[in-house]
Amino acid sequence: MLCRIGDVEIWRILEINAPYLPAKDLFPYVPNVAELIAAHDPGAICPTSGGLILPIQGFLLNTPSHLILVDACVGNHKTNRYPPWSGRNDSRFMASLAAAGATPSDVDYVLCTHLHTDHVGWNTKLEDGRWVPTFPNARYLLPDADNSVFSKMASDSYTESVLPVIAAGKSEMVTPGHQLGDYVTLIDTPGHTPGHVSVLVKSGAAEAIITGDALHTSAQCWHPDWHFTYDTDPEQAVNSRLALLEAASEADRRVLGTHFTLPSIGRVKANGDVFRWEEDN
Ligand SMILES: [Zn+2]
């Protein structure tokens, strides 16, 4: 188990832990960004490729009432413009789910923080040449504002990983503020995508926030104004990031950084006008 928040167990469902694109391509307007990231998070830059280490993971929330998967990673057999994510055939995601004591049929909800390719992949699997829901008993919760935009673009990712769960009648479009049972609330963090949500877990006095892609590296706690190249509205993303960090520090929430280097869990502390990241030991 990654951590316990009151009555809720949170398990890491890790699919990939590898270097992604170079930091200078991900934050193109930030001079010496790789050095700045490395100063805060020494293991974050791959010494051979210069790529930012970007874990691809979901989180499984085992609440007293529901089993909820937050984010569905890249998936197998998918079409993807980024070669390492294309046509994968890998067992790590499913092994991780099994290690958490769950099978795909146990999952009650799959919640996508947004509809990018590395958050929707395992929504579906290829069966006899057709994309079918991987989690046969789950409702799939998809941000409404993302679906409005992504359905018009009809990308491979949408066609392979989102449309089939809608066609199967298993989806529900959700908006920020949506509550899922007694423990989980969707927090409005637009900017990376129009409908992006982060996920607040609350049980008694204990609270945790799953960032999704409101941040991509813990270095953004010190530098919340950095523009990430795939943020669709970078200024809106900065405002969302600041609000998330402020609330997390005020309420002393555990923070689970979806793409932060492992262990991807810690706390955010106010640090002058910005914040600092304190990783759990
Ligand atoms: Zn992502």
Side-chain angles (χ1 to χ4, degrees):
M1 199 196 321
L2 180 61
C3 66
R4 171 182 284 283
I5 302 298
D7 295 334
V8 180
E9 290 180 358
I10 304 185
W11 295 76
R12 178 202 314 285
I13 308 298
L14 183 67
E15 183 187 44
I16 300 171
N17 186 27
Y20 184 53
L21 301 175
K24 65 179 171 49
D25 297 345
L26 297 172
F27 299 97
Y29 303 109
V30 183
N32 305 317
V33 68
E35 289 79 0
L36 289 171
I37 292 174
H40 293 301
D41 187 1
I45 305 293
C46 172
T48 45
S49 71
L52 179 69
I53 307 288
L54 195 84
I56 307 296
Q57 60 190 334
F59 296 103
L60 188 72
L61 313 182
N62 188 5
T63 82
S65 44
H66 299 115
L67 198 58
I68 303 162
L69 174 66
V70 177
D71 281 334
C73 304
V74 169
N76 275 353
H77 312 296
K78 304 286 174 166
T79 308
N80 204 299
R81 279 180 303 178
Y82 178 56
W85 293 355
S86 183
R88 289 168 53 81
N89 186 9
D90 185 85
S91 58
R92 194 171 190 178
F93 179 93
M94 280 299 165
S96 207
L97 193 68
T103 68
S105 10
D106 296 333
V107 175
D108 299 306
Y109 290 98
V110 177
L111 165 58
C112 300
T113 58
H114 62 298
L115 298 187
H116 276 166
T117 184
D118 56 320
H119 298 260
V120 297
W122 283 100
N123 283 358
T124 60
K125 62 177 180 178
L126 200 54
E127 200 174 82
D128 301 328
R130 291 180 57 234
W131 295 107
V132 300
T134 306
F135 305 95
N137 302 317
R139 302 286 300 163
Y140 287 76
L141 306 187
L142 312 173
D144 193 31
D146 269 22
N147 191 58
S148 301
V149 173
F150 286 70
S151 57
K152 293 188 187 78
M153 300 195 297
S155 63
D156 289 326
S157 169
Y158 189 83
T159 307
E160 294 176 352
S161 304
V162 180
L163 205 49
V165 301
I166 298 175
K170 293 188 176 287
S171 67
E172 203 176 306
M173 299 304 153
V174 290
T175 51
H178 182 88
Q179 280 208 297
L180 180 48
D182 294 334
Y183 304 92
V184 176
T185 309
L186 305 192
I187 304 296
D188 195 17
T189 44
H192 180 61
T193 63
H196 187 280
V197 292
S198 301
V199 180
L200 178 64
V201 180
K202 221 173 157 170
S203 174
E207 299 186 14
I209 183 90
I210 299 172
T211 62
D213 286 15
L215 300 88
H216 287 81
T217 155
S218 58
Q220 282 175 295
C221 297
W222 286 269
H223 302 282
D225 59 328
W226 285 359
H227 288 182
F228 184 75
T229 194
Y230 299 126
D231 288 344
T232 51
D233 184 335
E235 274 307 318
Q236 190 184 40
V238 169
N239 291 333
S240 292
R241 198 172 297 128
L242 284 167
L244 183 150
L245 292 167
E246 183 71 43
S249 110
E250 284 276 317
D252 198 29
R253 290 176 178 156
R254 301 293 279 283
V255 176
L256 282 71
T258 299
H259 287 308
F260 287 16
T261 49
L262 301 184
S264 327
I265 180 168
R267 282 188 166 82
V268 167
K269 306 284 181 188
N271 191 30
D273 287 341
V274 291
F275 301 88
R276 67 175 193 274
W277 174 248
E278 288 185 0
E279 191 172 277
D280 279 12
N281 295 314

